[in-house]
Amino acid sequence: MNLRTIALNNLRRRKSRMAFLVAGLLIGVATVVTLLSLTQSLTMEAEHKLENFGANILITPKSDDLSLSYGGIVLGGLSLDPKEIRESDLLGLKHIPNSRNIAAVAPKVLGAVSVGASRVMLMGVDPKAEFHVKGWWSLDGRRLAREDELVAGSQAAQRLSLRAGSTVVLGDQKFQVTGILRETGSQDDDLLISTLATAQRLLHKEGTLSLVEVAALCGDCPVSDMVDQISAALPDAKVSALQQVVKTRLHALEQFRAFSFAVAVVVLLIGALVVFVTMMGSVNERTREIGIFRALGFRRSHVVTLILMEAVAVSLLAGVLGFLLGMGITRLLLPWLAQSHPHLMWSSALAGGSVLLAVGVGTMASFYPALHASRMDPTEALRSI
């Protein structure tokens, strides 16, 4: 009979105590797994929402602004030597280091056009990219697909008496209105929206862009890094980050992650205390047994190894069950916390980490009781027989 067999037999004989030890560690490990897996899933949820929310980087033409004032009187300002964004320059975005983080690039050209006696703003877009970036847009009708089609903003449609199926003449070309953009409360309500090539032709701005919106979600790098990289790729453009929404959401997740770690540490400390008290009680109850072992020639190291083997066996079981319980709790909570994109991440690293965590906590909490058992005087222990 070796030490491992003795340790397993001791656990079988004391099933209630073993169950108590497992429960103490299991709760701690399950809490850690639940909080970490929830944080990971909610981070993915936030990134998914940000991707559908819209652009977080804006590219506009660079110009030198001169403010005119004299004697305390502001006379206005002038833009000196404005730079144009060339459509061909956007190819450089494919070669920046974090190009994989770019979800969509939505180029635009803007200008005023005449519709009858009214002047309205025309915006030319890449329909697929624009409707990806403006995921909140809602239409009565359908999206434009051809170069002879338009989408009208709600205010523009009301002013021009347009509806889906109406015909609009711009220049010498007729356009069919395929959809009316429902009210957004933004400048989009006052626009007529066409394809990019059509607007460039009508506005005589072939090959140039007024601005570019970029949906660039950077889960593994700061948005400021993306701005620097795009600025280097487009030196004649001004690149700015619309970081308020991004920073707010990511800051909330960081706070939740910090709170999760704090709660996990507290729960693990409680679990370690439970293991410590239980193992100390077990050692004190086994005074006679340990005395017999010592009388039979067991060394102090043998007694320490025996107690730690029991702790490791219990911790392994608690780690596996704690991981499964934690993932189960996450699966129950996730639909309530991530309604639009709930996704449970099964991570082998988290599984292995939970087992190692349980073993580490259980072993450290049992180390002092094991030393206490090894220091028992065998003659004093045998007197209780």
Side-chain angles (χ1 to χ4, degrees):
M1 181 177 292
N2 54 32
L3 290 175
R4 184 173 58 184
T5 305
I6 295 172
L8 293 176
N9 288 335
N10 285 335
L11 293 175
R12 291 192 189 100
R13 288 200 311 270
R14 298 175 174 85
K15 292 184 177 63
S16 59
R17 190 176 294 276
M18 184 189 75
F20 191 69
L21 285 171
V22 171
L25 281 175
L26 182 147
I27 293 172
V29 173
T31 302
V32 173
V33 171
T34 300
L35 293 173
L36 292 181
S37 57
L38 271 179
T39 301
Q40 187 176 16
S41 297
L42 290 176
T43 301
M44 291 183 60
E45 165 78 359
E47 290 179 354
H48 177 75
K49 283 185 176 180
L50 287 172
E51 182 174 337
N52 292 322
F53 180 82
N56 49 12
I57 294 178
L58 186 65
I59 304 173
T60 54
K62 182 184 290 185
S63 63
D64 297 324
D65 294 329
L66 176 63
S67 179
L68 300 179
S69 63
Y70 183 79
I73 300 175
V74 178
L75 303 177
L78 293 175
S79 293
L80 305 178
D81 190 24
K83 308 292 184 181
E84 292 183 336
I85 303 174
R86 294 185 297 273
E87 192 173 355
S88 58
D89 292 341
L90 297 185
L91 295 175
L93 299 182
K94 297 181 180 180
H95 305 293
I96 66 173
N98 289 100
S99 60
R100 67 186 184 281
N101 296 104
I102 297 179
V105 176
K108 299 172 180 60
V109 65
L110 293 160
V113 293
S114 297
V115 181
S118 301
R119 294 281 286 176
V120 294
M121 184 71 74
L122 176 68
M123 182 171 74
V125 301
D126 177 346
K128 183 178 179 181
E130 190 67 23
F131 280 89
H132 178 87
V133 169
K134 303 290 179 61
W136 63 89
W137 273 6
S138 181
L139 290 176
D140 291 324
R142 65 172 178 83
R143 302 177 181 180
L144 68 156
R146 303 199 312 263
E147 293 194 358
D148 60 348
E149 294 178 340
L150 293 174
V151 165
S154 59
Q155 296 297 323
Q158 185 177 356
R159 184 149 53 96
L160 300 174
S161 301
L162 300 178
R163 57 183 177 82
S166 297
T167 299
V168 176
V169 177
L170 297 178
D172 57 354
Q173 185 177 353
K174 290 184 177 181
F175 294 86
Q176 182 183 11
V177 178
T178 62
I180 304 298
L181 184 64
R182 293 179 182 173
E183 188 172 357
T184 64
S186 67
Q187 294 176 338
D188 297 337
D189 296 335
D190 299 311
L191 298 174
L192 292 180
I193 303 170
S194 70
T195 62
L196 184 63
T198 297
Q200 287 173 329
R201 178 173 52 80
L202 291 173
L203 300 172
H204 306 291
K205 295 182 178 181
E206 288 84 352
T208 64
L209 302 171
S210 301
L211 60 96
V212 182
E213 290 182 306
V214 179
L217 299 178
C218 215
D220 55 356
C221 68
V223 176
S224 57
D225 286 355
M226 294 287 292
V227 171
D228 293 339
Q229 293 170 16
I230 295 175
S231 297
L234 304 175
D236 293 330
K238 178 182 178 182
V239 185
S240 54
L242 310 177
Q243 300 186 56
Q244 183 176 1
V245 174
V246 178
K247 285 186 174 181
T248 299
R249 290 179 180 268
L250 294 181
H251 179 64
L253 284 172
E254 287 297 328
Q255 288 183 322
F256 179 75
R257 184 178 290 110
F259 173 75
S260 299
F261 281 122
V263 172
V265 169
V266 172
V267 174
L268 282 175
L269 288 175
I270 294 173
L273 182 61
V274 169
V275 173
F276 174 79
V277 172
T278 305
M279 293 300 288
M280 281 298 294
S282 175
V283 167
N284 291 331
E285 288 179 2
R286 294 161 61 184
T287 301
R288 184 175 62 179
E289 176 184 325
I290 294 171
I292 293 174
F293 287 152
R294 295 283 282 126
L296 291 175
F298 277 50
R299 298 177 181 174
R300 288 186 174 182
S301 59
H302 293 152
V303 176
V304 172
T305 302
L306 177 64
I307 302 298
L308 293 182
M309 277 185 175
E310 295 177 12
V312 169
V314 170
S315 301
L316 283 172
L317 181 60
V320 174
L321 294 179
F323 172 74
L324 296 175
L325 178 61
M327 296 303 292
I329 295 173
T330 301
R331 186 169 184 176
L332 291 175
L333 294 178
L334 200 54
W336 298 90
L337 299 176
Q339 293 89 351
S340 63
H341 190 67
H343 185 68
L344 183 63
M345 294 291 295
W346 288 88
S347 170
S348 57
L350 184 58
S354 62
V355 173
L356 290 176
L357 181 64
V359 172
V361 172
T363 302
M364 287 189 293
S366 302
F367 192 72
Y368 179 79
L371 286 178
H372 177 70
S374 69
R375 291 169 183 167
M376 285 185 178
D377 187 350
T379 58
E380 292 293 329
L382 291 174
R383 288 178 185 178
S384 62
I385 299 178

